[in-house]
């Protein structure tokens, strides 16, 4: 009864229990947030943000929980529910996905092996993200806020920080690949550095306007990219080399398979820490099976399309010397060489520049939300301000990594999988083991109240030891763990496997102890 009364009071004054406005146009904000939100520099920024929201739909409510009665009813329509597929299809079917497909060849694997690993690891990584997506509609919370119920109040802040780094990295990858392509389209007149800036700016503009504009762009963009990739398949598939076997043997061969698995798995599972950010408008009773399938397939199918194409083209470099020389200049120059006629290739390349924008706007949007979830005072600052700050970081990182794209991808995507594996294990076990798979066992009204959330002894310990396991098993160009180095001549990446085992076997007993001695 007390919870029901509290919920009724919350609706009447238009804010959640933490004091962060559920309705951003409300002036009824208690405590230090009232003064901070109405006065000074940030007060003016919030005023302008709310004005833009009224006129342009910029989305000023930020991280506040989306109550069932406040959600847009249009999201119940089947066309808007299909966006759950289209959103991720547009964000993953891009040039960076194509470039990642070259990694199997770079590691010395043949075409058959590369394709099998790409499909298998993408399906597993996509399923991790697909399950996390099911938590968005029932709770109305962003993914980091949901993790407070398992990771705990304080460790979730560390996850928020890691999430910012992750999303900035994703946006940088999209900007780098788009920038290189734009340079190729212009025959070098636009340098790759300027191309990185242009792609980052485009992503910022779309993400600035919030969830609805992101949805509108992503709803149709994937269809264009699908046609482009099918054309590229038609022109290049016959050159794929299925006859040249790998020269790798024994444990060295196994190590390269494990390393490729880690990279590709990381590229698909890394969205698990933000996926619910895009589902808060959907009705509470939205089918979780539908959410899981649409999200999983929306990541898996487009990613496989792009990466398998990369595998095929990479294998052709064994015999196509002209392709190999252009590949050294950059992915964009390679595409111009392998697609005919030349003018058509330029047109395709220009459209593929836009493919990076889809990933950019998703990443920048979620990065801003993660900063707001790092500390309650940061939620006062408008989301667009954080988006601008992230944009600057994307530019700097993109310019620094533009000349070593594959190395950048291999290292970055591997790192992403490690901590999202621990993240997934902890919230999955909490939901099904300790909360019996029922959202009735979550006090959603207290999502932003540290006194009602788990402190984080269990979640923090499991997450930290999961990362330690990942460090022991990681295999990257800059560091190879003490366990990974024992696999073959060059090491084999088992970081995700160790992160999974360490997190699982630590969290269960630690959570029992936390509930017994702390009580929440």
């Amino acid at each position: 009864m007390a919870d029901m009364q509290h919920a009724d009071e919350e609706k009447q004054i238009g804010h959640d229990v933490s004091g962060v406005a559920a309705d951003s146009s409300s002036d009824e904000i208690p405590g230090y947030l009232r003064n901070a939100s109405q006065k000074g520099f940030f007060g003016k920024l919030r005023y302008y943000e709310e004005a833009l929201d009224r006129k342009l739909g910029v989305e000023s409510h930020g991280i506040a929980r989306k109550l069932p009665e406040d959600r847009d009813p249009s999201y119940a329509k089947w066309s808007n529910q299909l966006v759950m597929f289209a959103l991720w299809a547009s964000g993953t079917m891009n040039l960076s996905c194509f470039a990642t497909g070259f990694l199997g060849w770079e590691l010395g694997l043949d075409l058959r092996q590369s394709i099998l690993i790409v499909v298998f690891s993408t399906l597993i990584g996509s399923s991790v993200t697909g399950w996390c997506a099911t938590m968005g509609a029932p709770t109305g919370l962003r993914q980091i806020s949901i993790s407070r119920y398992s990771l705990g109040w304080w460790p979730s802040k560390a996850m928020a920080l890691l999430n910012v780094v992750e999303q900035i990295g994703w946006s940088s990858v999209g900007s780098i690949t788009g920038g290189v392509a734009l340079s190729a389209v212009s025959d070098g007149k636009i340098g790759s550095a300027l191309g990185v800036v242009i792609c980052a700016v485009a992503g910022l503009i779309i993400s600035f306007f919030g969830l609805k504009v992101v949805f509108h762009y992503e709803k149709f963009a994937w269809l264009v990219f699908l046609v482009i990739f099918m054309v590229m398949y038609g022109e290049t598939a016959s050159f794929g080399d299925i006859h040249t076997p790998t020269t790798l043997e024994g444990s060295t061969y196994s190590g390269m398979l494990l390393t490729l698995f880690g990279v590709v798995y990381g590229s698909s599972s890394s969205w698990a820490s933000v996926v619910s950010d895009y589902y808060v408008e959907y009705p509470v009773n939205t089918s979780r099976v539908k959410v899981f399938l649409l999200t999983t397939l929306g990541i898996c199918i487009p990613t496989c399309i792009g990466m398998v194409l990369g595998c095929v083209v990479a294998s052709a470099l064994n015999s196509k010397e002209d392709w190999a020389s252009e590949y050294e200049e950059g992915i964009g120059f390679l595409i111009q060489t392998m697609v005919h006629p030349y003018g058509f290739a330029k047109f395709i390349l220009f459209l593929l520049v836009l493919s990076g924008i889809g990933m950019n706007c998703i990443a920048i949007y979620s990065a801003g939300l993660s900063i707001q979830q790092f500390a309650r005072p940061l939620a006062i600052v408008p989301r667009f301000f954080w988006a601008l700050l992230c944009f600057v970081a994307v530019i700097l990182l993109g310019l620094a990594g533009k000349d070593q794209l594959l190395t950048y991808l291999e290292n970055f995507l591997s790192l992403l999988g490690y901590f999202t594996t621990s993240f997934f294990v902890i919230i999955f076990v909490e939901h099904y083991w300790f909360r019996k798979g029922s959202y009735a066992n979550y006090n959603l009204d207290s999502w932003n109240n540290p006194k009602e959330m788990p402190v984080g002894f269990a979640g923090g310990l499991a997450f930290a030891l999961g990362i330690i396991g990942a460090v022991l098993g990681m295999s990257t160009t800059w560091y190879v763990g003490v366990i990974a180095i024992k696999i073959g001549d060059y090491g084999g990446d088992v970081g995700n496997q160790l992160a999974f085992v360490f997190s699982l076997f630590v969290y269960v007993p630690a959570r029992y102890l936390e509930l017994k001695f702390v009580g929440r």
Side-chain angles (χ1 to χ4, degrees):
M1 291 297 294
D3 288 343
M4 294 176 62
Q5 182 180 0
H6 185 78
D8 291 337
E9 291 173 354
E10 178 183 338
K11 294 174 186 177
Q12 290 173 9
I13 62 177
H15 64 77
D16 59 42
V17 295
S18 72
V20 178
D23 178 359
S24 59
S25 64
S26 173
D27 293 328
E28 298 292 328
I29 305 176
Y32 70 91
L33 292 177
R34 180 191 298 120
N35 296 329
S37 64
Q38 292 182 352
K39 297 179 181 179
F41 175 69
F42 292 124
K44 290 181 180 179
L45 286 181
R46 289 194 69 86
Y47 170 78
Y48 289 121
E49 182 185 41
E50 290 163 5
L52 286 171
D53 188 27
R54 288 191 296 271
K55 294 182 179 180
L56 301 175
V58 166
E59 184 188 336
S60 63
H61 74 268
I63 63 170
R65 180 188 168 215
K66 200 72 174 179
L67 298 174
E69 61 269 24
D70 295 332
R71 302 183 192 184
D72 188 337
S74 67
Y75 282 82
K77 297 179 180 178
W78 69 269
S79 57
N80 279 336
Q81 294 196 353
L82 285 179
V83 173
M84 289 185 276
F85 175 91
L87 171 70
W88 303 106
S90 296
T92 56
M93 196 185 302
N94 50 46
L95 270 177
S96 62
C97 184
F98 172 64
T100 305
F102 283 73
L103 287 175
W105 177 75
E106 292 275 346
L107 294 172
L109 300 173
D110 62 37
L111 179 58
R112 296 178 190 272
Q113 297 155 354
S114 296
I115 291 176
L116 284 173
I117 291 295
V118 162
V119 174
F120 180 66
S121 53
T122 298
L123 179 59
I124 295 177
S126 301
S127 297
V128 167
T129 301
W131 182 82
C132 290
T134 63
M135 306 189 83
T139 64
L141 292 171
R142 312 292 184 167
Q143 197 75 60
I144 295 298
S145 295
I146 293 171
S147 73
R148 294 172 179 174
Y149 293 87
S150 50
L151 276 173
W153 180 262
W154 297 106
S156 69
K157 294 179 181 296
M159 188 64 203
L161 181 60
L162 287 170
N163 209 34
V164 173
V165 174
E166 174 188 356
Q167 300 314 315
I168 289 175
W170 268 124
S171 190
S172 299
V173 169
S175 297
I176 290 170
T177 51
V180 171
L182 195 58
S183 177
V185 168
S186 65
D187 295 323
K189 294 177 182 177
I190 296 177
S192 57
L194 180 57
V196 167
V197 173
I198 292 173
C199 291
V201 169
L204 172 68
I205 291 173
I206 295 175
S207 66
F208 173 84
F209 287 98
L211 192 59
K212 291 183 179 180
V213 175
V214 170
F215 272 17
H216 282 307
Y217 173 81
E218 308 283 15
K219 186 184 295 186
F220 304 105
W222 69 279
L223 290 169
V224 177
F225 307 140
L226 176 62
V227 172
I228 290 172
F229 276 110
M230 290 301 101
V231 170
M232 293 172 67
Y233 267 107
E235 297 213 19
T236 63
S238 61
F239 298 105
D241 184 1
I242 61 173
H243 302 293
T244 303
T246 181
T247 58
L248 300 173
E249 296 180 346
S251 59
T252 300
Y253 168 65
S254 299
M256 293 301 98
L257 290 176
L258 288 167
T259 297
L260 181 60
F261 174 90
V263 172
V264 179
Y265 163 84
S267 74
S268 298
S269 67
S270 60
W271 300 110
S273 58
V274 302
V275 62
S276 286
D277 293 359
Y278 302 91
Y279 293 78
V280 296
E281 289 283 0
Y282 287 100
V284 172
N285 60 354
T286 302
S287 168
R288 293 174 205 168
V289 174
K290 181 191 297 184
V291 171
F292 173 78
L293 290 177
L294 288 175
T295 304
T296 300
L297 296 178
I299 296 174
C300 183
I301 294 175
T303 299
C304 287
I305 289 173
M307 286 193 185
V308 169
L309 178 62
C311 294
V312 171
V313 174
S315 70
L317 300 183
N318 295 330
S319 57
K320 300 281 290 182
E321 294 183 1
D322 55 333
W323 287 16
S325 62
E326 291 299 326
Y327 175 66
E328 295 298 323
E329 297 296 320
I331 291 291
F333 294 97
L334 171 62
I335 292 175
Q336 286 192 153
T337 301
M338 68 186 196
V339 176
H340 300 282
Y342 184 71
F344 180 60
K346 276 188 169 294
F347 174 68
I348 281 183
L349 198 55
F350 173 74
L351 292 177
L352 283 175
V353 171
L354 302 178
S355 71
I357 296 173
M359 182 164 62
N360 281 9
C361 63
I362 291 174
I364 293 177
Y365 175 80
S366 284
L369 292 173
S370 293
I371 294 175
Q372 289 184 314
Q373 293 169 98
F374 179 72
R376 286 191 292 172
L378 298 182
I380 301 166
V381 182
R383 181 184 55 80
F384 75 80
F385 178 86
W386 297 123
L388 288 171
L389 192 64
C390 293
F391 163 74
V392 173
V394 166
I395 293 294
L396 296 176
L397 194 57
L399 293 178
K402 64 183 176 61
D403 296 323
Q404 296 181 326
L405 177 59
L406 278 173
T407 300
Y408 184 94
L409 283 168
E410 180 179 356
N411 291 334
F412 177 67
L413 296 178
S414 295
L415 290 174
L416 294 183
Y418 302 141
F419 75 81
T420 51
T421 295
S422 292
F423 176 85
F424 163 74
V425 168
I426 292 168
I427 63 174
F428 184 90
V429 172
E430 175 70 23
H431 183 71
Y432 286 110
W433 194 315
F434 294 99
R435 299 185 188 267
K436 311 304 180 185
S438 173
Y439 288 100
N441 294 324
Y442 291 76
N443 184 358
L444 296 177
D445 289 335
S446 298
W447 71 274
N448 208 25
N449 185 353
K451 295 181 180 180
E452 298 291 333
M453 290 292 105
V455 177
F457 295 122
L461 181 63
F463 189 76
L465 290 179
I467 298 303
I468 290 174
V471 172
L472 295 174
M474 70 167 51
S475 177
T476 65
T477 56
W478 56 273
Y479 178 78
V480 180
V482 295
I483 294 179
I485 195 64
K486 298 181 181 298
I487 305 175
D489 295 335
Y490 309 104
D493 195 313
V494 289
N496 288 295
Q497 292 87 333
L498 291 179
F500 182 94
V501 172
F502 280 36
S503 298
L504 177 62
F505 285 98
V506 170
Y507 185 73
V508 174
R511 184 66 172 129
Y512 273 118
L513 292 174
E514 184 176 37
L515 288 170
K516 180 178 180 179
F517 293 105
V518 181
R520 53 187 170 93

